[in-house]
Amino acid sequence: GQQLNQSPQSMFIQEGEDVSMNCTSSSIFNTWLWYKQDPGEGPVLLIALYKAGELTSNGRLTAQFGITRKDSFLNISASIPSDVGIYFCAGQLDNFGNEKLTFGTGTRLTIIP
Amino acid sequence: EAQVTQNPRYLITVTGKKLTVTCSQNMNHEYMSWYRQDPGLGLRQIYYSMNVEVTDKGDVPEGYKVSRKEKRNFPLILESPSPNQTSLYFCASRRSGQTYGYTFGSGTRLTVV
């Protein structure tokens, strides 16, 4: 199956810094999702994007659906300790009738004291 | 509390011994899905179900079976487990419609020796 490439694989930042990560695909997706996984838990949905060019915010998080439909970006502003975790992008081809959801390889965020 | 419950959380088994990982959701969700998470590979979809008695393969279905006899339950069956099925498994569910807010369980860590 296809896979999404996320970068960077890991990030080490200081509290208060802004964070940017992205996800790229060789194929077009109609829906992009961003999830966060805390240690020992399942992923939790952060933001869902349904239209090319769409920019959506959720508190300090902002995500964009790339205009080519082959990429998406997630920004976190003014990072805090609870932002630590693994961030996954996920893409879906069809809006209806197809539940194949492809996840990226993840970006691990660590905050340095 | 709305949740997806997986059991067991941890399982060590031997090659070839059939096992079932149970998944139950109390949100009356139509869609359910199984994923496996491996280092460097992110989450990969094994099987999904769009409703009772409706299941389909994801990206990595080999060696797995599923059934959806009731709306709330979606067990994952490994008829003859092998060491390459050692992984962290997640069950997830969501309501049908455009909002792709999958709710994930807490995971089952399976080791096959």
Side-chain angles (χ1 to χ4, degrees):
Chain A
Q2 58 187 305
Q3 211 159 20
L4 300 178
N5 296 313
Q6 264 185 265
S7 65
Q9 280 191 327
S10 57
M11 302 183 75
F12 297 85
I13 61 167
Q14 292 189 316
E15 186 175 346
E17 282 188 40
D18 295 343
V19 170
S20 289
M21 61 188 78
N22 67 64
C23 198
T24 59
S25 168
S26 56
S27 304
I28 287 173
F29 286 108
N30 291 330
T31 300
W32 282 94
L33 308 167
W34 284 92
Y35 284 84
K36 180 185 179 234
Q37 184 179 29
D38 290 324
E41 298 296 328
V44 173
L45 182 69
L46 299 173
I47 292 179
L49 302 156
Y50 303 110
K51 262 172 54 173
E54 181 181 355
L55 187 72
T56 298
S57 293
N58 178 6
R60 292 176 297 106
L61 277 61
T62 302
Q64 184 157 27
F65 192 143
I67 201 75
T68 65
R69 295 180 176 267
K70 291 184 178 181
D71 56 12
S72 181
F73 307 88
L74 177 70
N75 295 317
I76 305 172
S77 62
S79 57
I80 60 177
S82 61
D83 291 335
V84 165
I86 304 177
Y87 291 80
F88 290 102
C89 61
Q92 185 152 356
L93 265 172
D94 298 327
N95 285 338
F96 302 103
N98 183 338
E99 274 303 283
K100 284 197 178 179
L101 189 61
T102 302
F103 276 80
T105 48
T107 294
R108 184 181 293 273
L109 180 64
T110 303
I111 293 185
I112 308 165
Chain B
E1 181 191 350
Q3 59 187 0
V4 177
T5 303
Q6 292 178 232
N7 279 298
R9 285 295 304 269
Y10 302 92
L11 178 61
I12 300 175
T13 190
V14 296
T15 299
K17 186 177 180 183
K18 181 179 178 180
L19 67 91
T20 299
V21 183
T22 64
C23 174
S24 180
Q25 49 94 4
N26 61 1
M27 297 166 281
N28 202 35
H29 285 170
E30 290 81 13
Y31 292 6
M32 297 186 75
S33 190
W34 275 102
Y35 292 85
R36 60 177 289 174
Q37 183 176 13
D38 301 291
L41 296 177
L43 291 110
R44 293 178 293 168
Q45 195 172 37
I46 303 171
Y47 269 96
Y48 62 89
S49 168
M50 295 170 70
N51 216 321
V52 174
E53 303 291 2
V54 181
T55 63
D56 207 349
K57 297 176 182 178
D59 290 319
V60 289
E62 295 77 20
Y64 304 94
K65 279 175 56 176
V66 293
S67 69
R68 187 93 182 273
K69 293 185 169 56
E70 306 162 284
K71 199 172 187 180
R72 64 182 292 127
N73 296 323
F74 191 43
L76 180 69
I77 303 155
L78 284 73
E79 294 270 3
S80 183
S82 62
N84 64 14
Q85 292 178 297
T86 292
S87 187
L88 178 59
Y89 290 87
F90 287 102
C91 180
S93 74
R94 72 169 186 88
R95 193 171 299 286
S96 64
Q98 194 181 18
T99 303
Y100 291 87
Y102 263 112
T103 300
F104 280 78
S106 297
T108 295
R109 186 165 290 283
L110 172 66
T111 302
V112 183
V113 298

